[in-house]
Amino acid sequence: MTEPLGKDLLGLEPLSAEQIRLILDTAEPFKEVSERAIKKVPTLRGKTIVNLFFESSTRTRISFEFAEKRLSADTVNVAAQDSSVSKGETLVDTARNLEAMRIDMVVIRHGASGAARFLAERIQSNVINAGDGKHEHPTQGLLDLLTIRDKLGRVRGSKVCICGDILHSRVARSNIWGLLKLGAEVAVCGPYSLLPRGIEELGVTIFRRIEEAIEWADVLNVLRLQLERMNAGFIPSLREYYRVFGVTLERLERAPRELLILHPGPMNRGVEIDSRVADGPHSVILHQVTNGVAVRMAVLYLLAGGRPEQAEAAKRGREGAE
Amino acid sequence: MTGALERSALLDAPAIARAIDRIASDIVTLAGGTERLVLVGIQRRGVELADRIGARIRDRHGAAVEHGALDITLYRDDLNEIGPRPVIGETRLPRTLDGRIVVIVDDVLFTGRTIRAALDQIADFGRPARIGLAVLIDRGGRELPIQADIVGERVPAGPHDRVDVLLVEVDGRDAVELVRRPPP
């Protein structure tokens, strides 16, 4: 029996392989819901969900919103721009206010690593981390895993190289945890200045040259160069980055096998990825976006039910029901 | 679980086969033929039963009957109480249900809540001309005003008893068993 997910989804690091598989398996039937003429099921009717975004986001916020609406939850979007108040204090106040409004779940994106956990420890509602600083972005990690499983038939044994700005990337961290737990071989590739120190201790291989990564991998997960975080001189120039690390058609044509190309978006075409690759036959970038809604529906569904004390009471009341 | 459980056989494999025969022919009568008929099995054992009933109708009438599968988990009214069930089965229905005669197939009819959920779900997929209900076992104990059109066998079971329908495809053998349980 798989251990339930518990109250919150804060990252993939605390989850077991079984729990990750449970989410991926649960996502499968939700894919079909989005293909129906009426793309809606009444599962979360009456639940109120707040999407609390302290950082701007288009794709993730819309994806969560679709997932929530397709499960019939009521949603409120709060786009809180950076405040001058220190982040800890802001969050405590926000948390108290939300609780006072009797909500059921919070989806939070925040620039500070650990913000989701901070919130989760202070409110009774379920908390889903939609990206916290450089820490984790678990639903992105899950949708990447689901996409790899869809396309390769398995995650175990596949060779996945995460390329680019690993240092600033919560997507990289969630990917590394999820992939390792499910038995993939994981590598990273990027300029030395964009690799976190000690990353090899997690059990990942480091490639210095993109050509080596392409020769080794089944899957490239090409990360966005986070231009807004790049004012500290991590790379000489964007053109230089593309010349040395860009995932180009010419480089892919020399690969010994067909590669799967993932990108969490939004893309910087001509910086980390060649337009011809992004739009080419190896790209599964739009499949990732489709899977994102299914994975988020699965997470909402798994967290929303399962209040253990109610489950016990209900079981006593109706043993032997259908 | 404490207390001794008393398990008794209700139907054996030949009795189940006869019941399915009868249900199949009653369904064709209800639908006035096979032309507009769609069999919809409820996950999990209702799907297997619908497959068997469909095969029986095909053998007897020479016409293939469309069948689909329905998982009603997302339409349950007790997600809060029971918590999510880990694995949701497949939902697969014909492209359109409009104007069709849909017969829902399930193994056991008890409170009626599963069928309530199935009716809601089917309404989201289309507007059938008629929806019928065929079950292998009606054990009584309804909590909603829902009755089956076609019943294989009626079994008076107490509210705490369990009726287990076992099918070769899922359980390795065909049997229906009653498990008597004392009130908790």
Side-chain angles (χ1 to χ4, degrees), chain A residues 22 26 29-30 32 36 38 40-43 47 301-302 305-306 310-311 314 318-322, chain B residues 1 73-75 78-81 83-86 88 91 108 110-112 114 121 124-125 139 159 181:
Chain A
L22 170 67
T26 304
F30 285 117
E32 180 262 327
R36 296 179 187 174
I38 296 181
K40 206 174 179 75
V41 289
T43 316
K47 300 263 183 201
Y301 165 71
L302 289 168
Q310 291 178 8
R318 60 159 75 190
E319 281 286 13
E322 283 157 283
Chain B
M1 195 59 52
T73 306
L74 300 174
Y75 284 73
D78 55 358
L79 181 66
N80 262 340
E81 288 89 53
R85 307 196 313 172
I88 304 169
T91 290
V108 179
F110 181 19
T111 61
T114 298
Q121 186 161 6
D124 280 352
F125 278 89
R139 57 165 292 178
R181 299 198 294 188

mmCIF file of all heavy atoms in Angstrom, chain A residues 22 26 29-30 32 36 38 40-43 47 301-302 305-306 310-311 314 318-322, chain B residues 1 73-75 78-81 83-86 88 91 108 110-112 114 121 124-125 139 159 181:
data_model
loop_
_atom_site.group_PDB
_atom_site.id
_atom_site.type_symbol
_atom_site.label_atom_id
_atom_site.label_comp_id
_atom_site.label_asym_id
_atom_site.label_seq_id
_atom_site.Cartn_x
_atom_site.Cartn_y
_atom_site.Cartn_z
ATOM 1 N N LEU A 22 2.436 6.845 -7.951
ATOM 2 C CA LEU A 22 0.994 7.005 -7.700
ATOM 3 C C LEU A 22 0.471 8.264 -8.400
ATOM 4 O O LEU A 22 -0.583 8.243 -9.048
ATOM 5 C CB LEU A 22 0.730 7.088 -6.190
ATOM 6 C CG LEU A 22 -0.699 7.497 -5.778
ATOM 7 C CD1 LEU A 22 -1.698 6.425 -6.159
ATOM 8 C CD2 LEU A 22 -0.774 7.772 -4.275
ATOM 9 N N THR A 26 -2.130 8.247 -11.459
ATOM 10 C CA THR A 26 -3.400 8.954 -11.287
ATOM 11 C C THR A 26 -3.596 9.986 -12.397
ATOM 12 O O THR A 26 -4.722 10.312 -12.771
ATOM 13 C CB THR A 26 -3.452 9.627 -9.899
ATOM 14 O OG1 THR A 26 -3.234 8.616 -8.906
ATOM 15 C CG2 THR A 26 -4.792 10.286 -9.632
ATOM 16 N N PRO A 29 -5.791 8.801 -16.107
ATOM 17 C CA PRO A 29 -7.213 9.020 -16.415
ATOM 18 C C PRO A 29 -7.580 10.498 -16.570
ATOM 19 O O PRO A 29 -8.548 10.817 -17.258
ATOM 20 C CB PRO A 29 -7.951 8.395 -15.231
ATOM 21 C CG PRO A 29 -6.949 8.276 -14.152
ATOM 22 C CD PRO A 29 -5.631 8.102 -14.819
ATOM 23 N N PHE A 30 -6.817 11.393 -15.948
ATOM 24 C CA PHE A 30 -7.132 12.819 -16.082
ATOM 25 C C PHE A 30 -6.791 13.353 -17.469
ATOM 26 O O PHE A 30 -7.353 14.359 -17.899
ATOM 27 C CB PHE A 30 -6.429 13.629 -14.993
ATOM 28 C CG PHE A 30 -7.075 13.482 -13.646
ATOM 29 C CD1 PHE A 30 -6.397 12.915 -12.587
ATOM 30 C CD2 PHE A 30 -8.381 13.893 -13.448
ATOM 31 C CE1 PHE A 30 -6.993 12.766 -11.348
ATOM 32 C CE2 PHE A 30 -8.990 13.747 -12.211
ATOM 33 C CZ PHE A 30 -8.297 13.178 -11.163
ATOM 34 N N GLU A 32 -7.623 11.928 -20.112
ATOM 35 C CA GLU A 32 -8.831 11.674 -20.899
ATOM 36 C C GLU A 32 -9.911 12.717 -20.586
ATOM 37 O O GLU A 32 -10.664 13.113 -21.481
ATOM 38 C CB GLU A 32 -9.310 10.244 -20.607
ATOM 39 C CG GLU A 32 -10.560 9.807 -21.340
ATOM 40 C CD GLU A 32 -11.793 9.950 -20.471
ATOM 41 O OE1 GLU A 32 -11.700 9.771 -19.239
ATOM 42 O OE2 GLU A 32 -12.849 10.277 -21.035
ATOM 43 N N ARG A 36 -12.522 15.287 -23.327
ATOM 44 C CA ARG A 36 -13.973 15.183 -23.448
ATOM 45 C C ARG A 36 -14.578 16.466 -24.011
ATOM 46 O O ARG A 36 -13.959 17.519 -23.942
ATOM 47 C CB ARG A 36 -14.597 14.921 -22.064
ATOM 48 C CG ARG A 36 -14.188 13.596 -21.468
ATOM 49 C CD ARG A 36 -14.825 13.411 -20.097
ATOM 50 N NE ARG A 36 -14.281 12.219 -19.469
ATOM 51 C CZ ARG A 36 -14.552 11.847 -18.219
ATOM 52 N NH1 ARG A 36 -15.353 12.576 -17.462
ATOM 53 N NH2 ARG A 36 -14.025 10.757 -17.719
ATOM 54 N N ILE A 38 -17.256 17.870 -22.671
ATOM 55 C CA ILE A 38 -17.406 18.633 -21.429
ATOM 56 C C ILE A 38 -16.203 18.294 -20.563
ATOM 57 O O ILE A 38 -16.129 17.220 -19.972
ATOM 58 C CB ILE A 38 -18.728 18.296 -20.719
ATOM 59 C CG1 ILE A 38 -19.891 18.738 -21.609
ATOM 60 C CG2 ILE A 38 -18.798 18.948 -19.348
ATOM 61 C CD1 ILE A 38 -21.262 18.501 -21.024
ATOM 62 N N LYS A 40 -14.917 18.568 -17.707
ATOM 63 C CA LYS A 40 -15.140 18.937 -16.316
ATOM 64 C C LYS A 40 -15.716 17.750 -15.566
ATOM 65 O O LYS A 40 -16.625 17.090 -16.070
ATOM 66 C CB LYS A 40 -16.127 20.102 -16.280
ATOM 67 C CG LYS A 40 -16.041 20.992 -15.077
ATOM 68 C CD LYS A 40 -16.983 22.163 -15.283
ATOM 69 C CE LYS A 40 -17.004 23.108 -14.116
ATOM 70 N NZ LYS A 40 -15.826 23.950 -14.019
ATOM 71 N N VAL A 41 -15.213 17.501 -14.395
ATOM 72 C CA VAL A 41 -15.799 16.492 -13.514
ATOM 73 C C VAL A 41 -16.062 17.172 -12.157
ATOM 74 O O VAL A 41 -15.399 18.144 -11.818
ATOM 75 C CB VAL A 41 -14.863 15.271 -13.330
ATOM 76 C CG1 VAL A 41 -14.793 14.463 -14.605
ATOM 77 C CG2 VAL A 41 -13.488 15.688 -12.880
ATOM 78 N N PRO A 42 -17.054 16.682 -11.407
ATOM 79 C CA PRO A 42 -17.474 17.428 -10.198
ATOM 80 C C PRO A 42 -16.657 17.129 -8.950
ATOM 81 O O PRO A 42 -17.053 17.502 -7.850
ATOM 82 C CB PRO A 42 -18.925 16.964 -10.013
ATOM 83 C CG PRO A 42 -18.960 15.597 -10.590
ATOM 84 C CD PRO A 42 -17.945 15.564 -11.702
ATOM 85 N N THR A 43 -15.497 16.509 -9.102
ATOM 86 C CA THR A 43 -14.754 15.953 -7.970
ATOM 87 C C THR A 43 -14.480 16.948 -6.842
ATOM 88 O O THR A 43 -14.607 16.611 -5.671
ATOM 89 C CB THR A 43 -13.425 15.384 -8.482
ATOM 90 O OG1 THR A 43 -13.684 14.657 -9.680
ATOM 91 C CG2 THR A 43 -12.780 14.479 -7.470
ATOM 92 N N LYS A 47 -14.863 23.068 -3.145
ATOM 93 C CA LYS A 47 -13.536 23.374 -2.588
ATOM 94 C C LYS A 47 -13.079 24.734 -3.112
ATOM 95 O O LYS A 47 -13.322 25.070 -4.272
ATOM 96 C CB LYS A 47 -12.514 22.335 -3.038
ATOM 97 C CG LYS A 47 -12.851 20.925 -2.603
ATOM 98 C CD LYS A 47 -12.112 20.552 -1.351
ATOM 99 C CE LYS A 47 -12.425 19.106 -0.989
ATOM 100 N NZ LYS A 47 -12.156 18.832 0.414
ATOM 101 N N TYR A 301 -6.387 16.231 -6.790
ATOM 102 C CA TYR A 301 -7.297 15.153 -6.420
ATOM 103 C C TYR A 301 -6.747 14.337 -5.242
ATOM 104 O O TYR A 301 -7.464 14.045 -4.283
ATOM 105 C CB TYR A 301 -7.520 14.259 -7.634
ATOM 106 C CG TYR A 301 -8.140 12.931 -7.348
ATOM 107 C CD1 TYR A 301 -9.481 12.829 -6.968
ATOM 108 C CD2 TYR A 301 -7.399 11.766 -7.451
ATOM 109 C CE1 TYR A 301 -10.049 11.598 -6.706
ATOM 110 C CE2 TYR A 301 -7.959 10.533 -7.192
ATOM 111 C CZ TYR A 301 -9.280 10.446 -6.811
ATOM 112 O OH TYR A 301 -9.833 9.231 -6.544
ATOM 113 N N LEU A 302 -5.460 14.003 -5.324
ATOM 114 C CA LEU A 302 -4.876 13.164 -4.278
ATOM 115 C C LEU A 302 -4.769 13.906 -2.945
ATOM 116 O O LEU A 302 -4.904 13.303 -1.884
ATOM 117 C CB LEU A 302 -3.489 12.657 -4.704
ATOM 118 C CG LEU A 302 -3.501 11.596 -5.813
ATOM 119 C CD1 LEU A 302 -2.106 11.366 -6.364
ATOM 120 C CD2 LEU A 302 -4.090 10.285 -5.304
ATOM 121 N N GLY A 305 -8.828 14.772 -1.136
ATOM 122 C CA GLY A 305 -9.565 13.785 -0.356
ATOM 123 C C GLY A 305 -8.713 13.377 0.832
ATOM 124 O O GLY A 305 -7.800 14.080 1.224
ATOM 125 N N GLY A 306 -9.076 12.257 1.374
ATOM 126 C CA GLY A 306 -8.166 11.615 2.304
ATOM 127 C C GLY A 306 -7.886 12.370 3.572
ATOM 128 O O GLY A 306 -6.753 12.470 4.000
ATOM 129 N N GLN A 310 -11.687 11.605 8.951
ATOM 130 C CA GLN A 310 -13.001 11.446 8.328
ATOM 131 C C GLN A 310 -13.118 10.076 7.677
ATOM 132 O O GLN A 310 -14.180 9.458 7.676
ATOM 133 C CB GLN A 310 -13.234 12.543 7.281
ATOM 134 C CG GLN A 310 -13.396 13.913 7.903
ATOM 135 C CD GLN A 310 -13.583 14.994 6.854
ATOM 136 O OE1 GLN A 310 -13.731 14.714 5.677
ATOM 137 N NE2 GLN A 310 -13.567 16.236 7.300
ATOM 138 N N ALA A 311 -12.017 9.614 7.125
ATOM 139 C CA ALA A 311 -12.033 8.304 6.478
ATOM 140 C C ALA A 311 -12.374 7.222 7.494
ATOM 141 O O ALA A 311 -13.176 6.329 7.232
ATOM 142 C CB ALA A 311 -10.674 8.033 5.836
ATOM 143 N N ALA A 314 -16.022 7.446 8.488
ATOM 144 C CA ALA A 314 -16.884 6.990 7.407
ATOM 145 C C ALA A 314 -16.854 5.471 7.302
ATOM 146 O O ALA A 314 -17.868 4.824 7.048
ATOM 147 C CB ALA A 314 -16.420 7.617 6.088
ATOM 148 N N ARG A 318 -20.105 2.836 7.478
ATOM 149 C CA ARG A 318 -20.640 2.123 6.310
ATOM 150 C C ARG A 318 -19.723 0.994 5.830
ATOM 151 O O ARG A 318 -19.354 0.938 4.678
ATOM 152 C CB ARG A 318 -20.922 3.096 5.186
ATOM 153 C CG ARG A 318 -19.700 3.838 4.723
ATOM 154 C CD ARG A 318 -19.929 4.348 3.346
ATOM 155 N NE ARG A 318 -20.822 5.507 3.335
ATOM 156 C CZ ARG A 318 -21.324 6.001 2.231
ATOM 157 N NH1 ARG A 318 -21.077 5.431 1.096
ATOM 158 N NH2 ARG A 318 -22.075 7.070 2.264
ATOM 159 N N GLU A 319 -19.377 0.131 6.759
ATOM 160 C CA GLU A 319 -18.637 -1.078 6.363
ATOM 161 C C GLU A 319 -19.455 -1.829 5.325
ATOM 162 O O GLU A 319 -20.669 -1.963 5.430
ATOM 163 C CB GLU A 319 -18.412 -2.004 7.552
ATOM 164 C CG GLU A 319 -17.304 -1.599 8.467
ATOM 165 C CD GLU A 319 -15.913 -1.844 7.908
ATOM 166 O OE1 GLU A 319 -15.784 -2.108 6.694
ATOM 167 O OE2 GLU A 319 -14.978 -1.767 8.659
ATOM 168 N N GLY A 320 -18.785 -2.326 4.347
ATOM 169 C CA GLY A 320 -19.488 -3.185 3.409
ATOM 170 C C GLY A 320 -20.257 -2.427 2.352
ATOM 171 O O GLY A 320 -21.113 -2.990 1.694
ATOM 172 N N ALA A 321 -19.972 -1.153 2.195
ATOM 173 C CA ALA A 321 -20.637 -0.421 1.096
ATOM 174 C C ALA A 321 -20.098 -0.946 -0.219
ATOM 175 O O ALA A 321 -19.128 -1.669 -0.258
ATOM 176 C CB ALA A 321 -20.345 1.074 1.236
ATOM 177 N N GLU A 322 -20.749 -0.512 -1.297
ATOM 178 C CA GLU A 322 -20.361 -0.993 -2.626
ATOM 179 C C GLU A 322 -18.882 -0.760 -2.851
ATOM 180 O O GLU A 322 -18.366 0.301 -2.565
ATOM 181 C CB GLU A 322 -21.143 -0.227 -3.684
ATOM 182 C CG GLU A 322 -22.545 -0.703 -3.791
ATOM 183 C CD GLU A 322 -23.433 0.381 -4.395
ATOM 184 O OE1 GLU A 322 -23.773 1.297 -3.658
ATOM 185 O OE2 GLU A 322 -23.761 0.281 -5.571
ATOM 186 N N MET B 1 -9.954 -6.381 11.822
ATOM 187 C CA MET B 1 -11.357 -6.839 11.846
ATOM 188 C C MET B 1 -11.489 -7.980 12.841
ATOM 189 O O MET B 1 -10.759 -8.973 12.765
ATOM 190 C CB MET B 1 -11.756 -7.295 10.445
ATOM 191 C CG MET B 1 -13.230 -7.463 10.212
ATOM 192 S SD MET B 1 -14.213 -5.957 10.477
ATOM 193 C CE MET B 1 -13.332 -4.809 9.446
ATOM 194 N N THR B 73 -15.393 7.274 -10.113
ATOM 195 C CA THR B 73 -14.685 7.805 -8.937
ATOM 196 C C THR B 73 -14.777 9.325 -8.839
ATOM 197 O O THR B 73 -15.008 9.884 -7.767
ATOM 198 C CB THR B 73 -13.202 7.406 -8.996
ATOM 199 O OG1 THR B 73 -13.124 5.992 -9.157
ATOM 200 C CG2 THR B 73 -12.479 7.792 -7.719
ATOM 201 N N LEU B 74 -14.603 10.014 -9.988
ATOM 202 C CA LEU B 74 -14.546 11.480 -9.946
ATOM 203 C C LEU B 74 -15.926 12.096 -9.735
ATOM 204 O O LEU B 74 -16.045 13.293 -9.540
ATOM 205 C CB LEU B 74 -13.918 12.010 -11.234
ATOM 206 C CG LEU B 74 -12.491 11.513 -11.486
ATOM 207 C CD1 LEU B 74 -11.984 11.964 -12.839
ATOM 208 C CD2 LEU B 74 -11.555 12.009 -10.387
ATOM 209 N N TYR B 75 -16.978 11.269 -9.791
ATOM 210 C CA TYR B 75 -18.345 11.756 -9.588
ATOM 211 C C TYR B 75 -18.922 11.311 -8.251
ATOM 212 O O TYR B 75 -20.102 11.483 -7.995
ATOM 213 C CB TYR B 75 -19.249 11.269 -10.740
ATOM 214 C CG TYR B 75 -19.037 12.035 -12.023
ATOM 215 C CD1 TYR B 75 -17.891 11.846 -12.788
ATOM 216 C CD2 TYR B 75 -19.969 12.962 -12.468
ATOM 217 C CE1 TYR B 75 -17.687 12.553 -13.955
ATOM 218 C CE2 TYR B 75 -19.776 13.669 -13.639
ATOM 219 C CZ TYR B 75 -18.637 13.470 -14.382
ATOM 220 O OH TYR B 75 -18.439 14.174 -15.537
ATOM 221 N N ASP B 78 -18.629 11.267 -1.923
ATOM 222 C CA ASP B 78 -18.033 11.036 -0.611
ATOM 223 C C ASP B 78 -16.507 11.094 -0.637
ATOM 224 O O ASP B 78 -15.846 10.465 0.160
ATOM 225 C CB ASP B 78 -18.493 9.681 -0.050
ATOM 226 C CG ASP B 78 -18.196 8.534 -1.007
ATOM 227 O OD1 ASP B 78 -17.675 8.801 -2.101
ATOM 228 O OD2 ASP B 78 -18.500 7.376 -0.653
ATOM 229 N N LEU B 79 -15.961 11.908 -1.562
ATOM 230 C CA LEU B 79 -14.502 12.034 -1.625
ATOM 231 C C LEU B 79 -13.937 12.509 -0.299
ATOM 232 O O LEU B 79 -12.903 12.046 0.169
ATOM 233 C CB LEU B 79 -14.119 13.007 -2.745
ATOM 234 C CG LEU B 79 -12.613 13.222 -2.963
ATOM 235 C CD1 LEU B 79 -11.945 11.961 -3.463
ATOM 236 C CD2 LEU B 79 -12.362 14.367 -3.918
ATOM 237 N N ASN B 80 -14.655 13.441 0.342
ATOM 238 C CA ASN B 80 -14.205 13.962 1.625
ATOM 239 C C ASN B 80 -14.081 12.879 2.671
ATOM 240 O O ASN B 80 -13.174 12.884 3.480
ATOM 241 C CB ASN B 80 -15.202 14.999 2.136
ATOM 242 C CG ASN B 80 -14.745 16.398 1.813
ATOM 243 O OD1 ASN B 80 -13.564 16.604 1.563
ATOM 244 N ND2 ASN B 80 -15.664 17.332 1.811
ATOM 245 N N GLU B 81 -15.044 11.955 2.664
ATOM 246 C CA GLU B 81 -15.065 10.958 3.734
ATOM 247 C C GLU B 81 -14.115 9.800 3.461
ATOM 248 O O GLU B 81 -13.370 9.390 4.327
ATOM 249 C CB GLU B 81 -16.476 10.403 3.933
ATOM 250 C CG GLU B 81 -17.431 11.392 4.568
ATOM 251 C CD GLU B 81 -18.133 12.260 3.548
ATOM 252 O OE1 GLU B 81 -18.721 11.698 2.620
ATOM 253 O OE2 GLU B 81 -18.076 13.492 3.664
ATOM 254 N N GLY B 83 -11.688 9.592 1.154
ATOM 255 C CA GLY B 83 -10.367 9.879 0.618
ATOM 256 C C GLY B 83 -10.282 9.341 -0.785
ATOM 257 O O GLY B 83 -11.104 8.527 -1.190
ATOM 258 N N PRO B 84 -9.312 9.823 -1.551
ATOM 259 C CA PRO B 84 -9.234 9.391 -2.940
ATOM 260 C C PRO B 84 -8.886 7.916 -3.024
ATOM 261 O O PRO B 84 -8.096 7.423 -2.238
ATOM 262 C CB PRO B 84 -8.112 10.250 -3.520
ATOM 263 C CG PRO B 84 -7.326 10.700 -2.350
ATOM 264 C CD PRO B 84 -8.227 10.727 -1.170
ATOM 265 N N ARG B 85 -9.503 7.248 -3.979
ATOM 266 C CA ARG B 85 -9.121 5.871 -4.213
ATOM 267 C C ARG B 85 -7.918 5.916 -5.130
ATOM 268 O O ARG B 85 -7.906 6.659 -6.100
ATOM 269 C CB ARG B 85 -10.273 5.106 -4.845
ATOM 270 C CG ARG B 85 -11.535 5.260 -4.010
ATOM 271 C CD ARG B 85 -12.562 4.269 -4.355
ATOM 272 N NE ARG B 85 -12.780 4.151 -5.779
ATOM 273 C CZ ARG B 85 -13.561 3.202 -6.288
ATOM 274 N NH1 ARG B 85 -14.148 2.343 -5.499
ATOM 275 N NH2 ARG B 85 -13.736 3.133 -7.580
ATOM 276 N N PRO B 86 -6.908 5.137 -4.842
ATOM 277 C CA PRO B 86 -5.633 5.320 -5.519
ATOM 278 C C PRO B 86 -5.708 5.250 -7.045
ATOM 279 O O PRO B 86 -5.226 6.136 -7.717
ATOM 280 C CB PRO B 86 -4.765 4.197 -4.977
ATOM 281 C CG PRO B 86 -5.434 3.710 -3.760
ATOM 282 C CD PRO B 86 -6.863 4.113 -3.819
ATOM 283 N N ILE B 88 -7.665 5.201 -10.572
ATOM 284 C CA ILE B 88 -8.900 5.462 -11.291
ATOM 285 C C ILE B 88 -8.839 4.665 -12.588
ATOM 286 O O ILE B 88 -7.857 4.721 -13.310
ATOM 287 C CB ILE B 88 -9.050 6.960 -11.596
ATOM 288 C CG1 ILE B 88 -8.969 7.762 -10.300
ATOM 289 C CG2 ILE B 88 -10.350 7.231 -12.325
ATOM 290 C CD1 ILE B 88 -8.832 9.245 -10.520
ATOM 291 N N THR B 91 -12.210 5.485 -18.462
ATOM 292 C CA THR B 91 -13.549 5.814 -18.936
ATOM 293 C C THR B 91 -13.485 5.884 -20.451
ATOM 294 O O THR B 91 -12.665 6.598 -21.008
ATOM 295 C CB THR B 91 -14.031 7.157 -18.359
ATOM 296 O OG1 THR B 91 -14.279 6.985 -16.966
ATOM 297 C CG2 THR B 91 -15.316 7.612 -19.043
ATOM 298 N N VAL B 108 -22.981 -5.412 -8.477
ATOM 299 C CA VAL B 108 -23.865 -5.419 -7.318
ATOM 300 C C VAL B 108 -24.574 -4.079 -7.192
ATOM 301 O O VAL B 108 -23.931 -3.033 -7.281
ATOM 302 C CB VAL B 108 -23.058 -5.681 -6.016
ATOM 303 C CG1 VAL B 108 -23.994 -5.672 -4.802
ATOM 304 C CG2 VAL B 108 -22.319 -7.011 -6.099
ATOM 305 N N PHE B 110 -26.430 -1.791 -4.528
ATOM 306 C CA PHE B 110 -26.591 -1.701 -3.081
ATOM 307 C C PHE B 110 -27.250 -0.366 -2.744
ATOM 308 O O PHE B 110 -28.460 -0.229 -2.895
ATOM 309 C CB PHE B 110 -25.215 -1.864 -2.416
ATOM 310 C CG PHE B 110 -25.188 -1.823 -0.908
ATOM 311 C CD1 PHE B 110 -26.321 -2.044 -0.145
ATOM 312 C CD2 PHE B 110 -23.989 -1.569 -0.229
ATOM 313 C CE1 PHE B 110 -26.276 -2.000 1.249
ATOM 314 C CE2 PHE B 110 -23.940 -1.523 1.158
ATOM 315 C CZ PHE B 110 -25.074 -1.733 1.889
ATOM 316 N N THR B 111 -26.472 0.647 -2.373
ATOM 317 C CA THR B 111 -27.082 1.912 -1.939
ATOM 318 C C THR B 111 -27.680 2.696 -3.097
ATOM 319 O O THR B 111 -28.556 3.534 -2.890
ATOM 320 C CB THR B 111 -26.031 2.803 -1.263
ATOM 321 O OG1 THR B 111 -25.000 3.079 -2.220
ATOM 322 C CG2 THR B 111 -25.408 2.119 -0.055
ATOM 323 N N GLY B 112 -27.162 2.482 -4.307
ATOM 324 C CA GLY B 112 -27.616 3.246 -5.470
ATOM 325 C C GLY B 112 -26.751 4.465 -5.748
ATOM 326 O O GLY B 112 -26.937 5.156 -6.746
ATOM 327 N N THR B 114 -23.532 4.668 -6.512
ATOM 328 C CA THR B 114 -22.688 4.482 -7.699
ATOM 329 C C THR B 114 -23.488 4.796 -8.965
ATOM 330 O O THR B 114 -22.991 5.472 -9.876
ATOM 331 C CB THR B 114 -22.172 3.029 -7.765
ATOM 332 O OG1 THR B 114 -21.371 2.784 -6.615
ATOM 333 C CG2 THR B 114 -21.349 2.787 -9.017
ATOM 334 N N GLN B 121 -22.543 11.276 -14.749
ATOM 335 C CA GLN B 121 -21.413 11.252 -15.673
ATOM 336 C C GLN B 121 -21.898 11.061 -17.113
ATOM 337 O O GLN B 121 -21.421 11.738 -18.023
ATOM 338 C CB GLN B 121 -20.437 10.137 -15.283
ATOM 339 C CG GLN B 121 -19.178 10.152 -16.125
ATOM 340 C CD GLN B 121 -18.042 9.384 -15.485
ATOM 341 O OE1 GLN B 121 -18.208 8.747 -14.452
ATOM 342 N NE2 GLN B 121 -16.874 9.437 -16.106
ATOM 343 N N ASP B 124 -23.030 14.105 -18.779
ATOM 344 C CA ASP B 124 -21.963 14.984 -19.267
ATOM 345 C C ASP B 124 -21.417 14.529 -20.615
ATOM 346 O O ASP B 124 -20.643 15.244 -21.245
ATOM 347 C CB ASP B 124 -20.810 15.050 -18.249
ATOM 348 C CG ASP B 124 -21.133 16.004 -17.105
ATOM 349 O OD1 ASP B 124 -22.158 16.703 -17.187
ATOM 350 O OD2 ASP B 124 -20.362 16.049 -16.132
ATOM 351 N N PHE B 125 -21.753 13.334 -21.026
ATOM 352 C CA PHE B 125 -21.253 12.808 -22.302
ATOM 353 C C PHE B 125 -22.290 12.895 -23.418
ATOM 354 O O PHE B 125 -21.978 12.677 -24.578
ATOM 355 C CB PHE B 125 -20.803 11.352 -22.149
ATOM 356 C CG PHE B 125 -19.417 11.211 -21.591
ATOM 357 C CD1 PHE B 125 -19.214 11.146 -20.226
ATOM 358 C CD2 PHE B 125 -18.323 11.154 -22.439
ATOM 359 C CE1 PHE B 125 -17.933 11.018 -19.708
ATOM 360 C CE2 PHE B 125 -17.043 11.025 -21.925
ATOM 361 C CZ PHE B 125 -16.847 10.961 -20.554
ATOM 362 N N ARG B 139 -28.744 -6.534 -3.903
ATOM 363 C CA ARG B 139 -28.668 -6.966 -2.503
ATOM 364 C C ARG B 139 -29.555 -6.121 -1.591
ATOM 365 O O ARG B 139 -29.512 -6.264 -0.364
ATOM 366 C CB ARG B 139 -27.221 -6.912 -2.019
ATOM 367 C CG ARG B 139 -26.572 -5.534 -2.160
ATOM 368 C CD ARG B 139 -25.306 -5.433 -1.351
ATOM 369 N NE ARG B 139 -25.617 -5.457 0.071
ATOM 370 C CZ ARG B 139 -24.709 -5.421 1.042
ATOM 371 N NH1 ARG B 139 -23.436 -5.378 0.731
ATOM 372 N NH2 ARG B 139 -25.058 -5.437 2.302
ATOM 373 N N PRO B 159 -27.159 -4.861 6.204
ATOM 374 C CA PRO B 159 -26.391 -3.656 5.855
ATOM 375 C C PRO B 159 -24.887 -3.814 6.072
ATOM 376 O O PRO B 159 -24.108 -3.109 5.442
ATOM 377 C CB PRO B 159 -26.976 -2.575 6.777
ATOM 378 C CG PRO B 159 -27.753 -3.304 7.824
ATOM 379 C CD PRO B 159 -28.174 -4.610 7.222
ATOM 380 N N ARG B 181 -21.492 -10.421 8.320
ATOM 381 C CA ARG B 181 -20.661 -9.737 9.305
ATOM 382 C C ARG B 181 -21.552 -9.122 10.374
ATOM 383 O O ARG B 181 -22.585 -8.525 10.073
ATOM 384 C CB ARG B 181 -19.821 -8.648 8.644
ATOM 385 C CG ARG B 181 -18.885 -9.245 7.596
ATOM 386 C CD ARG B 181 -17.783 -8.314 7.251
ATOM 387 N NE ARG B 181 -18.271 -7.117 6.593
ATOM 388 C CZ ARG B 181 -17.469 -6.213 6.063
ATOM 389 N NH1 ARG B 181 -16.153 -6.366 6.163
ATOM 390 N NH2 ARG B 181 -17.955 -5.165 5.470
#
